[in-house]
Amino acid sequence: MSKKQNSNIGNSEKQEFIFQKKNYLFMFIGLACIALGFILMSGGGSDDPNVFSDDIYNFRRIRLAPTLVLIGLGIEIYAILLNPHKKK
């Protein structure tokens, strides 16, 4: 019977993670922006179903919150595509 030899015995390369500390920092910032956007989007309802509240159409819920969510998604894409191993 033949013995199976492990070809990786001679190679002692150190394995590294794909993402580094800088990537995770940007990912956390992006998640914080997305979470803040969804928090700002919440609320604005009326306690009485017979009364309509115009608070649902204010600037914070229509413009600011969705913009923050989109900015957060952009930061997340940047964090994924960022190459920390690249030398200048």
Side-chain angles (χ1 to χ4, degrees):
M1 296 195 148
S2 65
K3 293 183 180 180
K4 290 185 179 180
Q5 295 181 359
N6 191 356
S7 62
N8 291 334
I9 293 174
N11 298 338
S12 59
E13 294 180 16
K14 183 179 178 185
Q15 292 183 351
E16 294 184 19
F17 291 110
I18 295 174
F19 295 139
Q20 298 295 320
K21 184 178 179 181
K22 192 173 184 181
N23 294 91
Y24 289 116
L25 177 68
F26 277 108
M27 283 184 188
F28 178 73
I29 291 170
L31 283 175
C33 285
I34 292 170
L36 182 64
F38 278 112
I39 289 170
L40 289 176
M41 224 182 287
S42 67
S46 178
D47 294 333
D48 186 12
N50 295 325
V51 178
F52 180 74
S53 176
D54 284 332
D55 288 339
I56 199 166
Y57 297 117
N58 63 5
F59 173 78
R60 184 183 78 183
R61 289 185 181 91
I62 297 296
R63 301 276 188 231
L64 182 63
T67 304
L68 272 175
V69 171
L70 290 176
I71 288 171
L73 289 173
I75 293 171
E76 288 292 325
I77 292 170
Y78 175 74
I80 292 170
L81 295 178
L82 179 67
N83 187 359
H85 303 295
K86 184 178 176 182
K87 307 268 181 176
K88 289 186 178 179

